Amino acid sequence: MASVRARLTTAYAFALFCTIVAFAIVLVIARRASAYRELDEHVKAQAAAVLDVISDAERAGVPLAVGPDTLSGSLVAPQLYKKLEGIGDYVLVLDPSGRALYLSFEAQRLSDDDRVTLQQAVLQARLNGPATFVTLDSDRVLLLARPDPQGEKVARVAAGASARAAEAAPGSLAGTMLALMPLFLLLSIAGAYMISGRVFRPVELIINEVEAITDGRSLHRRLPADGDNDELGRLSNTLNAMIARLETSFGGLRRFTADASHELKTPLTVLRTDVERAMNPRVGHNEQLIALEEALQETTRMADLVDSLLTLARADEGRFELATEPVHLESLAREVFETAVILGEDAGLEVSLPVIEDAVVMGDRTRLRQLFLNLITNAIKYTPRGGRVEVALSRRIDEVTFTVRDTGIGIAAGDLPYIFERFWRADRARSRRPVTEGGSAERGGFGLGLAIAQYIAQAHGGTLTAQSRLGRGSVFTVTLPFAEEMAGDASPATGGTG
Ligand SMILES: Nc1ncnc2c1ncn2[C@@H]1O[C@H](COP(=O)(O)OP(=O)(O)OP(=O)(O)O)[C@@H](O)[C@H]1O
Ligand SMILES: [Mg+2]
């Protein structure tokens, strides 16, 4: 594949070639037309001159026909002959019977055949008509015949000029152009090649820079953008924006991997310590059982983490499939509320369900349960003893909202934008503080719950939003699109379509 530079130069050369050829054709045609026009005018002037000479002679009473002159072979008087002689190439003066009174030197020089042809042409020519071409063996002549107005002795005169020169002129012009064209083309192509090289140098620079940047470790670097608003300037800016996005997503990926490894490392360390303790022959049987129990909890915790990571990985890949069916949210809300009551009792919280309305949405019941439970466990986890947690399910015009309100520690306004990010926790030290005595919640969460919850809400065409005030409490609201129309006939319909 030829380089763009070579292709551009070829295209330019081709265009130039076509232009030159077209120009040459136009020039030749124009030159030809003007040569014929000049010839035509020349012949007209000659004919007029001949008529002038003859009418002058007639007015002055000079005898026109004097009989054959031995020297010139002409029938006109010698003083007339002299004047006619100076006029031009082919001049003929005929008397009414068609006899040639005068033939110019050029006409006399013709072969007998040619001379007869020429004389015939003069006789047949339309008087006062336009000039016509007469083809002789030795020449091509543009001939114009005119009548003599007084004509007693002279009937018609004719003037002619060779068309050879006019015919040859455009040809020689074309020849010159053809001869010069290769040189001209060569110079232009060399010029074009040089210019396109200069144009493409910045592109090459950009290619080299991008190659250097995208080797993976230099994503912080940017292409020099000199503020030019031309195509190359815009290309640089676009590439810079792309590299910036790459840098962000690479960074995100790196952080995610680092966080995930870190979160897995902690339970592994604990697990190892527990197992070592359980295997220690010097510790008592009871203590061994406690260590084993802790190890079991740690395993559950790890399994939870891996499960969450898998969910998010599937979501990223777009392989997060929802087993969609009509879900009666009222029963689901009651179910999670019961769990909340049990968890709340353990944590010393008062859990209530002030509003509950029936509503049906199209969704995945298991995932919706996971979403609601994530919000409820958060509310319980981040609300100190003696606080209150309120769960509510209410209908709006075309949507359903599920709300979890708590009187807990709240979230600082500055932190609110980050809570849905993976592995984000308001204060890692604080969230690792034991919340309940003993149990798996000892070291706080992973910071994945809200990310998953938000993903589930969005996968259902809904939203998850948070409002909070530090030290006062938080409200998390899930909004899901309503499917009330389908509620009545949805079950048989989905059953029918599979
Ligand atoms: N109801 C709440 N009150 C106060 N802070 C909250 C509340 N819900 C979430 N947060 C803050 O948002 C952070 C992220 O919550 P998220 O549910 O994603 O993670 P987590 O609860 O720490 O861990 P897990 O992955 O186990 O859910 C929490 O660590 C906490 O700091
Ligand atoms: Mg959570």
Side-chain angles (χ1 to χ4, degrees):
M1 192 70 188
S3 71
V4 177
R5 184 183 178 184
R7 275 185 282 163
L8 214 63
T9 310
T10 316
Y12 168 75
F14 180 70
L16 187 69
F17 176 77
C18 292
T19 312
I20 292 179
V21 168
F23 182 65
I25 290 173
V26 170
L27 208 64
V28 164
I29 290 174
R31 183 76 193 81
R32 215 175 128 109
S34 84
Y36 280 131
R37 210 168 31 247
E38 276 165 26
L39 194 66
D40 193 58
E41 254 142 42
H42 177 60
V43 169
K44 265 186 201 147
Q46 279 184 336
V50 174
L51 279 179
D52 275 356
V53 168
I54 289 177
S55 51
D56 278 358
E58 277 172 339
R59 237 176 286 128
V62 177
L64 288 177
V66 291
D69 180 76
T70 37
L71 235 174
S72 61
S74 158
L75 299 177
V76 294
Q79 64 260 57
L80 203 57
Y81 182 87
K82 277 245 157 58
K83 282 188 180 158
L84 289 173
E85 188 62 24
I87 291 180
D89 312 345
Y90 295 98
V91 175
L92 293 91
V93 179
L94 304 186
D95 75 1
S97 68
R99 191 167 53 130
L101 295 177
Y102 169 79
L103 287 178
S104 66
F105 177 64
E106 206 73 20
Q108 285 177 46
R109 261 198 351 187
L110 294 172
S111 66
D112 288 347
D113 280 354
D114 276 355
R115 204 165 46 241
V116 170
T117 313
L118 192 64
Q119 219 161 316
Q120 287 295 320
V122 176
L123 282 173
Q124 280 157 16
R126 263 201 307 135
L127 292 170
N128 295 322
T132 49
F133 282 103
V134 181
T135 310
L136 307 176
D137 284 344
S138 56
D139 205 353
R140 215 165 100 85
V141 175
L142 184 67
L143 192 72
L144 181 71
R146 286 283 179 263
D148 176 19
Q150 281 104 46
E152 285 158 29
K153 295 270 165 41
V154 172
R156 51 178 72 196
V157 305
S162 170
R164 281 264 170 77
E167 270 157 10
S172 72
L173 181 74
T176 316
M177 289 191 78
L178 275 182
L180 282 179
M181 189 156 77
L183 183 74
F184 195 61
L185 264 180
L186 218 67
L187 281 178
S188 307
I189 290 171
Y193 193 69
M194 258 160 58
I195 292 172
S196 57
R198 194 170 301 167
V199 169
F200 280 113
R201 196 162 315 136
V203 177
E204 257 162 48
L205 284 181
I206 290 180
I207 294 173
N208 292 343
E209 279 281 306
V210 171
E211 268 170 6
I213 289 174
T214 47
D215 69 352
R217 266 166 307 219
S218 316
L219 281 176
H220 58 279
R221 274 172 55 184
R222 292 289 177 274
L223 296 170
D226 40 14
D228 274 1
N229 221 6
D230 59 5
E231 289 84 346
L232 294 180
R234 274 164 46 208
L235 178 67
S236 294
N237 289 338
T238 313
L239 285 174
N240 276 342
M242 193 185 80
I243 296 168
R245 280 200 300 276
L246 271 181
E247 190 187 13
T248 315
S249 64
F250 263 55
L253 201 66
R254 221 173 278 146
R255 225 173 23 247
F256 183 73
T257 318
D259 285 341
S261 325
H262 180 79
E263 294 298 341
L264 279 170
K265 211 174 124 194
T266 319
L268 272 176
T269 316
V270 179
L271 191 65
R272 188 194 171 117
T273 322
D274 285 338
V275 174
E276 275 170 3
R277 198 141 53 97
M279 284 170 69
N280 189 344
R282 269 169 299 171
V283 303
H285 180 68
N286 239 9
E287 213 175 312
Q288 276 179 337
L289 277 184
I290 292 172
L292 278 179
E293 166 124 32
E294 249 182 59
L296 198 63
Q297 275 171 12
E298 226 36 66
T299 325
T300 316
R301 204 178 134 77
M302 260 167 66
D304 284 350
L305 174 59
V306 171
D307 199 51
S308 296
L309 287 177
L310 268 178
T311 305
L312 286 170
R314 277 206 202 102
D316 287 345
E317 242 185 277
R319 280 200 300 121
F320 188 80
E321 267 149 37
L322 294 179
T324 312
E325 53 175 359
V327 180
H328 284 266
L329 287 185
E330 191 193 345
S331 66
L332 185 60
R334 282 194 198 285
E335 201 181 306
V336 294
F337 170 68
E338 272 154 30
T339 315
V341 170
I342 298 167
L343 292 173
E345 260 168 26
D346 286 349
L349 302 173
E350 184 195 320
V351 183
S352 60
L353 180 67
V355 185
I356 181 149
E357 291 168 333
D358 187 25
V360 177
V361 298
M362 290 302 292
D364 184 325
R365 193 183 158 91
T366 319
R367 290 299 182 187
L368 288 174
R369 199 182 122 87
Q370 184 183 11
L371 159 59
F372 295 167
L373 277 180
N374 278 2
L375 300 182
I376 286 171
T377 46
N378 275 356
I380 289 169
K381 203 156 46 161
Y382 302 111
T383 304
R385 233 160 231 289
R388 271 180 294 114
V389 173
E390 241 176 60
V391 182
L393 178 71
S394 56
R395 294 163 54 151
R396 302 273 166 81
I397 295 162
D398 52 358
E399 57 191 24
V400 193
T401 56
F402 178 85
T403 320
V404 180
R405 188 186 298 271
D406 65 56
T407 57
I409 57 173
I411 302 162
D415 287 344
L416 216 48
Y418 304 107
I419 57 172
F420 297 108
E421 276 180 20
R422 294 165 190 193
F423 293 112
W424 191 88
R425 280 169 295 208
D427 174 353
R428 292 186 178 219
R430 186 199 62 205
S431 59
R432 272 156 203 269
R433 176 193 59 142
V435 176
T436 52
E437 286 84 50
S440 61
E442 254 179 1
R443 282 195 316 279
F446 299 114
L448 292 176
L450 283 181
I452 293 174
Q454 191 181 47
Y455 187 81
I456 295 173
Q458 285 170 355
H460 281 83
T463 55
L464 169 60
T465 51
Q467 289 166 292
S468 189
R469 282 181 65 189
L470 196 61
R472 289 289 188 78
S474 320
V475 188
F476 283 82
T477 311
V478 182
T479 311
L480 295 170
F482 214 20
E484 185 66 284
E485 314 78 27
M486 297 183 231
D489 54 6
S491 303
T494 44
T497 52

